[in-house]
Amino acid sequence: MQPAKAETGTISRLMRVFRGDKNRSELKEFTIKQHPGMVVLDAIHQIQADQAGDLACRWNCKAGKCGSCSAEINGRPRLMCMTRMGDFEPGETITVRPLKAFPVIKDLVTDVSWNYEINKKIKPFTPKPKNADGTWRMQQYEIDRVQEFRKCIECFLCQDVCHVLRDHDKKSEFGGPRFFVRAASLEMHPLDTADRVPMIKDSLGVGLCNITKCCTEVCPESITITDNAIIPLKERVVSRYFDPLAVLWHKITGLPKQPRGGE
Amino acid sequence: MANYQSIEHDVLVIGAGGAGIRAAIEAAEMGANVGLICKSLLGKAHTVMAEGGMAAALGNVESRDNWKVHFRDTMRGGKMLNNWRMAQLHAQEAPDRANELESYGAVFDRTPDGRILQRNFGGHLYPRLAHVGDRTGLEMIRTLQDKAVHTPGLQVHMECTIYKLLVNDGRVCGAVGYWRQTGEFVVYKAKAVVLATGGIGKSFKVTSNSWEYTGDGHAMAYLAGADLIDMEFIQFHPTGMMWPLSVKGILVTEGVRGEGGVLRNNKGERFMFKYVPEQFKKDYADTEDEARRWLDGDKTARRPPELLTRDVVARAINAEVKAGRGSPHGGAFLDIAAARSPDYIKRKLPSMYHQFKELAQVDITKDAMEVGPTTHYIMGGVRVHPETAESTVPGIFAAGEAAGGMHGANRLGGNSLSDLLVFGRRAGMGAANYAKNLKSAPALSQADVDATLKEMTAPLDRVDGENPYTIAQDLQELMQTHIGIIREEKEMQEGLEKLLKLKERASRVASNGTRAYNPGWNQALDLRAMLTCSEAIARAAIERKESRGGHTRNDYPDYDKELSKVNFLIKKTSSGEMGIRKEPLPQMPAELQELFKGESNATSQS
Ligand code: SF4
Ligand code: SF4
Ligand code: FES
């Protein structure tokens, strides 16, 4: 087994951690003991145990699986439990702030309830009837794409980094990358029959995305959000609403025309 | 007195992992008004960390499989101490629950003919685990979560911790808790309560469990007067990460072994061949060659010994380390690279690949992982009626890890996710029926509410006192050393004494700051449940003077014939002490006993 890279002894490290709420806040300095292999979440826990018992943060799995511990570490949206302290230069100060796109509740904890409201608006899974033998058959290659989307751990890092939400705060018109991924996972599910194209256009506002790909870059699950989810959804909207032949087809048959993109 | 918010439901489900969400869906579909309480945000519960899969005898990969084989595997894995009726219901209903999850939108990996794919796992005779790579728990929780938010009559309460169940006239009537975000108090009035709060792993130092696992449901049921069963049985998962220290205990899925991973000691020896218990010898390969043929699909070959039940594998690793054959950080080497191609590993075990790469800088497609036992699961829990999931206190139901009986002395991997759905559904059904039939809901006692709120604010009112984090750490250290994977009378007695002292210290715990999102205060309040469960575990472990399943004693290394016929029950006595008593196992009907002809559950442990 090779031990972690060149991280041997314990060093002391200066951390700056956002403390406060929506009314009052400051960056507070803490010196911590950094042991080999430690991640930023460990440092936060150490501060809680020895220096500031009431320092608020969210976490659950400590293994990058639950998406609770999102924060901005030296300006980058990341999971605290998957960010190794040893990746920073020994003398470097590590600054931890809450996600900027959501209102702060306290310290590193933000109010992400808006995301849950958006999710409720997406039409749920609506399967077609089962086969005569009582099963649904799907081939692995038909579901690979859907499974990619379903890896999402709802860390909301993509929401945090997307300029439509972060800089323009268009929460009333735009669902954000996480929910394009969600909508795409349903739209491309081989058994699903519901039509979500109108809501993808109107309430999720997919047109506001200008494909900067920042969301894809931060996704800790490496979901290709833009290419695999958003662009195919945009294509569906375009062919439904802006392609004259498709519009006519839809008017006559009432059936959505399924574009090929992304499947 | 402190202010509080009042909320009323027919059925209050505490805990929003697989069991809790499934219970809430069932109760709401039956017409009950349901509140679903999450200690974290919805979708973050411990179920997301389940990796390997959900056991169900669908027979998609191996047509010889059926519920009877699953039932027999489960009972043998539990060393025959399981509640037979729960194990039977579980094996019979798991396939329906898996298919139902698919109808809710879950996307399992597929067989070549397009059905749900199943993988091998420890203790299961046939490939039985429906799975999605190594993130099956995430798939389950996301699917249930989306089903729940679109179920009418179901209201989700996020970041709310329940501290106490209110009982009046011998029936449950509600619960008291607080909103984590604001620290404000909330009193729920409810006709029935379902406990789906998971396990107790946070009381141990090396654990795969999250901060939520403080045994809230176990402790609240006990304090409300319910029986706990089998508390001595804790599962130490054989493969937790060993290094770096900060990730010690994080789970390495059994799926690694299911996909062909082998265990070796520092001599390069594949040691599991030496540890096959007598009773399992006929089902396990005795040469590396046979094990390899099995992996290649030869149906005449027997399973590799790495796929023995978790208790056996954990003890084997422990023994190798003790004998000086351990890995550098005190574990064993788990190697999948020799058995599978890098592509295959990345496809079937993507999060393991990721986890080792990011956290330990090990590429598992090339190198072996260093693994060792980690506290993973408690078989013991609230004693429930097998059909309705009702506890011994009317109106209190329990499901999932919070309930006991289903898994006996040792749980098989994959039987947890199926347990969550089978008994989550049954608990939801039981609670909704109970609520419907209740003529009038018992009234809440204001005095009880006031006393509880006072108890909850106490740590913040103390100026000087014990640090809650220090007490939690001391408890973890204590449980790990005294009531850990290998146990002994003297050590456990000492541990119990220390535990009682710690309890006394915990009564002087103080936290600073306000009630709003204050982890220190939250930790202070969690100590009561952690200490209660730890005491129950210690007392039951001392009483069971034999080794069986997850309970291993140096001083009693074998099965005991008499103890093979009893469960230990824990219940609060009228004077408020923790009482413990033996109860004979329920009698298995003759047609099920047939399945075990010629086997004895009194033979030796390993
Ligand atoms: S690609 Fe679209 S959704 Fe993603 S960050 Fe850019 S604008 Fe936002
Ligand atoms: S899509 Fe990726 S970044 Fe966005 S919430 Fe999901 S896991 Fe996080
Ligand atoms: S704690 Fe679960 S992702 Fe970090």
Side-chain angles (χ1 to χ4, degrees), chain B residues 471-542:
Chain B
I471 296 193
Q473 280 162 10
D474 290 353
L475 174 65
Q476 290 156 353
E477 197 73 56
L478 183 169
M479 291 302 283
Q480 194 77 29
T481 357
H482 291 272
I483 331 275
I485 176 162
I486 308 290
R487 300 165 172 176
E488 221 172 79
E489 186 77 20
K490 190 166 151 283
E491 294 223 325
M492 288 196 286
Q493 293 288 5
E494 270 173 36
L496 185 59
E497 263 167 51
K498 286 192 192 169
L499 202 57
L500 298 176
K501 284 201 193 106
L502 207 55
K503 239 173 140 175
E504 197 272 318
R505 272 173 63 198
S507 66
R508 285 180 274 117
V509 71
S511 19
N512 54 8
T514 67
R515 290 195 330 238
Y517 225 114
N518 183 344
W521 176 56
N522 303 161
Q523 174 69 77
L525 295 186
D526 287 343
L527 289 174
R528 181 200 53 166
M530 292 168 80
L531 288 160
T532 306
C533 293
S534 298
E535 185 181 342
I537 293 163
R539 290 192 188 277
I542 291 171

Side-chain angles (χ1 to χ4, degrees), chain B residues 337-515:
Chain B
R340 300 286 190 182
S341 72
D343 268 1
Y344 185 90
I345 296 170
K346 285 187 210 165
R347 189 156 46 81
K348 297 304 278 187
L349 302 164
S351 35
M352 282 309 106
Y353 174 73
H354 190 65
Q355 181 174 315
F356 272 89
K357 192 127 200 142
E358 301 285 320
L359 296 174
Q361 296 176 324
V362 170
D363 180 350
I364 68 167
T365 67
K366 295 201 186 82
D367 296 309
M369 301 158 245
E370 218 181 324
V371 295
T374 180
T375 313
H376 185 54
Y377 187 90
I378 183 158
M379 274 65 78
V382 180
R383 183 191 187 200
V384 290
H385 188 280
E387 325 269 338
T388 62
E390 188 168 19
S391 74
T392 46
V393 175
I396 300 181
F397 297 75
E401 195 172 347
M406 159 67 209
H407 304 287
N410 171 59
R411 174 175 70 78
L412 294 187
N415 271 1
S416 181
L417 289 186
S418 42
D419 169 10
L420 302 184
L421 295 185
V422 168
F423 293 104
R425 171 176 161 274
R426 284 190 165 268
M429 214 155 55
N433 277 328
Y434 172 92
K436 208 187 301 171
N437 294 331
L438 202 64
K439 281 181 203 77
S440 63
L444 296 180
S445 141
Q446 190 59 47
D448 273 1
V449 172
D450 292 344
T452 309
L453 297 184
K454 194 161 165 218
E455 200 177 312
M456 289 165 78
T457 35
L460 290 167
D461 298 338
R462 278 185 207 111
V463 215
D464 243 350
E466 296 274 352
N467 177 344
Y469 295 100
T470 312
I471 296 193
Q473 280 162 10
D474 290 353
L475 174 65
Q476 290 156 353
E477 197 73 56
L478 183 169
M479 291 302 283
Q480 194 77 29
T481 357
H482 291 272
I483 331 275
I485 176 162
I486 308 290
R487 300 165 172 176
E488 221 172 79
E489 186 77 20
K490 190 166 151 283
E491 294 223 325
M492 288 196 286
Q493 293 288 5
E494 270 173 36
L496 185 59
E497 263 167 51
K498 286 192 192 169
L499 202 57
L500 298 176
K501 284 201 193 106
L502 207 55
K503 239 173 140 175
E504 197 272 318
R505 272 173 63 198
S507 66
R508 285 180 274 117
V509 71
S511 19
N512 54 8
T514 67
R515 290 195 330 238

Side-chain angles (χ1 to χ4, degrees), chain B residues 207-459:
Chain B
T207 177
S208 63
N209 294 173
S210 84
W211 67 270
E212 295 191 290
Y213 266 40
T214 47
D216 300 7
H218 289 77
M220 288 194 291
Y222 165 81
L223 293 169
D227 283 354
L228 303 181
I229 187 169
D230 291 340
M231 290 299 284
E232 64 275 34
F233 295 115
I234 289 176
Q235 179 164 80
F236 297 90
H237 193 293
T239 61
M241 289 178 81
M242 294 299 291
W243 184 256
L245 213 54
S246 81
V247 297
K248 189 164 178 176
I250 292 182
L251 189 64
V252 179
T253 175
E254 188 167 328
V256 176
R257 282 171 287 138
E259 298 292 350
V262 304
L263 287 164
R264 294 189 191 277
N265 60 23
N266 67 12
K267 305 244 176 315
E269 194 188 351
R270 194 163 163 191
F271 57 83
M272 279 311 300
F273 288 104
K274 294 188 303 195
Y275 294 93
V276 186
E278 212 39 61
Q279 140 192 50
F280 290 102
K281 281 217 159 113
K282 64 179 192 311
D283 293 329
Y284 287 84
D286 49 19
T287 62
E288 291 208 28
D289 174 62
E290 185 180 1
R292 180 71 226 183
R293 281 191 286 117
W294 177 89
L295 190 64
D296 294 338
D298 178 347
K299 292 211 171 177
T300 64
R302 293 167 300 174
R303 317 156 54 72
E306 278 83 5
L307 291 180
L308 280 157
T309 54
R310 290 177 175 173
D311 51 336
V312 177
V313 182
R315 275 195 306 272
I317 295 178
N318 209 64
E320 287 295 308
V321 174
K322 261 212 167 130
R325 295 189 292 269
S327 66
H329 301 101
F333 294 108
L334 173 62
D335 184 15
I336 180 82
R340 300 286 190 182
S341 72
D343 268 1
Y344 185 90
I345 296 170
K346 285 187 210 165
R347 189 156 46 81
K348 297 304 278 187
L349 302 164
S351 35
M352 282 309 106
Y353 174 73
H354 190 65
Q355 181 174 315
F356 272 89
K357 192 127 200 142
E358 301 285 320
L359 296 174
Q361 296 176 324
V362 170
D363 180 350
I364 68 167
T365 67
K366 295 201 186 82
D367 296 309
M369 301 158 245
E370 218 181 324
V371 295
T374 180
T375 313
H376 185 54
Y377 187 90
I378 183 158
M379 274 65 78
V382 180
R383 183 191 187 200
V384 290
H385 188 280
E387 325 269 338
T388 62
E390 188 168 19
S391 74
T392 46
V393 175
I396 300 181
F397 297 75
E401 195 172 347
M406 159 67 209
H407 304 287
N410 171 59
R411 174 175 70 78
L412 294 187
N415 271 1
S416 181
L417 289 186
S418 42
D419 169 10
L420 302 184
L421 295 185
V422 168
F423 293 104
R425 171 176 161 274
R426 284 190 165 268
M429 214 155 55
N433 277 328
Y434 172 92
K436 208 187 301 171
N437 294 331
L438 202 64
K439 281 181 203 77
S440 63
L444 296 180
S445 141
Q446 190 59 47
D448 273 1
V449 172
D450 292 344
T452 309
L453 297 184
K454 194 161 165 218
E455 200 177 312
M456 289 165 78
T457 35

Side-chain angles (χ1 to χ4, degrees), chain A residues 173-191:
Chain A
E173 301 154 58
F174 189 65
R178 157 56 187 140
F179 295 103
F180 298 134
V181 169
R182 170 83 192 131
S185 79
L186 289 161
E187 283 289 288
M188 295 180 199
H189 193 308
L191 305 179

Side-chain angles (χ1 to χ4, degrees), chain A residues 1 5 37 42 49 53 58-60 62 65-66 84 106 116 119 137-138 140 147 150 154 182, chain B residues 40 42 44 107 109-110 113-114 139 143 146 159 210-212 246 355 358-359 361 368 469 517 520:
Chain A
M1 308 286 302
K5 96 176 157 194
D42 292 317
R58 287 197 181 104
W59 72 284
N60 283 64
K62 210 172 170 294
K65 293 190 171 71
C66 73
R84 291 169 63 105
K106 188 183 159 208
Y116 287 86
N119 189 39
R137 302 290 174 119
M138 292 182 269
Q140 185 63 43
Q147 287 188 329
R150 296 183 68 89
E154 300 208 314
R182 170 83 192 131
Chain B
S40 297
L42 180 62
K44 308 296 182 193
V107 186
D109 289 359
R110 311 313 286 183
D113 66 349
E139 185 69 17
T143 304
D146 283 311
E159 297 202 302
S210 84
W211 67 270
E212 295 191 290
S246 81
Q355 181 174 315
E358 301 285 320
L359 296 174
Q361 296 176 324
Y469 295 100
Y517 225 114

Side-chain angles (χ1 to χ4, degrees), chain A residues 218-237:
Chain A
V218 295
C219 178
E221 285 294 312
S222 308
I223 301 170
T224 322
I225 305 175
T226 351
D227 292 359
N228 289 353
I230 298 180
I231 293 176
L233 291 183
K234 278 177 173 281
E235 281 173 3
R236 287 182 187 212
V237 169

